[in-house]
Amino acid sequence: MDISDPSLRPENIFPRCKESPYGISFYQYYLETTSTNDRAKECARAGLPEIGLVVAERQTAGRGRMGRRWISELGGGLWVSILLRPQLSVGQASVLSLAAGVAVYRALKSLYRLDGLSLKWPNDILLSGAKLAGILTEMGSSPEGVNWAVVGIGINVVRTCNAWDRVATPPAFLSEQVGSRVERGSMLLQILEEFGRRYRTADLSPVLAEYVQCCDTLGKDVVCSTRNGTVEGKAVGIDGSGALLVRVRGSEKVIALDAQAVSLRG
Ligand code: BTN
């Protein structure tokens, strides 16, 4: 097994993490695991503190939103989950995902100055319209609020296998735009810094305002698959819980669509 970029190995990343202002409490590194979200959820249930990182070189059962598979081959990208213990109500928690989307978008922009990078609601990162990165947030809660949240981030770096030919959404790969400049350790640290800065602010409204600035979906015509059928209309805003506000085609009605229940086309 040749891992040509060793920057995620603990001995390489850990000294650099400690320098970060958003210091982490633990770092778990796997050559292979089912899903880093699974491992991070185990850490959450075992009572480990925030901010914890779980990284894998390969996931055998990587998961995406809406029960989709996430291809995560060896050397193919950055697969990381962040364990958080946010002081949020369940209703506020989806803003975490939006904050992570903005953080990944900003980190990739500042590291690689990519043209054609965009953020699609809720938190797909697209490169020239093809999917470069995605975020899967899972959480555990009680009536008092969120106990833990796991923010799983996947960023495609190298096209590694033929399975990509069969995915419905066309994928993008960082190395095809920026070549050998991709070092996943720097990417991880930059994301951590961008995310940490936003996560630490008690007030969530700046995150929402920034998200609205970055999100390419707003103002566009969209087709949304929901549990109750398809909705077509124009994306006109984001509400305080991160739901997408859509003005339904042919009416003045505006509906709020929750990211957990909606898949977006267009
Ligand atoms: C999506 O866009 O559908 C979300 C993809 C999230 C993939 C990441 S990779 C690290 C973490 N572990 C997983 O199994 N999924 C997330």
Side-chain angles (χ1 to χ4, degrees), residues 185-205:
S186 302
M187 203 150 67
L188 176 59
L189 292 177
Q190 190 70 28
I191 291 169
L192 205 56
E193 185 162 340
E194 296 280 356
F195 180 73
R197 193 183 314 143
R198 288 161 182 89
Y199 178 63
R200 297 291 186 201
T201 45
D203 177 12
L204 297 173
S205 44

Side-chain angles (χ1 to χ4, degrees), residues 137-160:
T137 302
E138 298 178 272
M139 67 186 80
S141 62
S142 64
E144 287 75 52
V146 176
N147 294 333
W148 54 264
V150 166
V151 177
I153 301 171
I155 303 177
N156 299 326
V157 176
V158 181
R159 185 190 292 267
T160 45

Side-chain angles (χ1 to χ4, degrees), residues 34-37 59 61-65 68 70 72 78-81 123-124 131 133-136 152-154:
T34 52
S35 155
T36 53
N37 268 31
Q59 299 184 117
R63 288 181 278 116
R65 288 180 61 239
R68 296 186 193 113
W70 184 260
S72 340
L78 174 63
W79 328 125
V80 56
S81 299
N123 41 33
D124 285 354
K131 183 146 169 173
I135 295 168
L136 174 67
I153 301 171

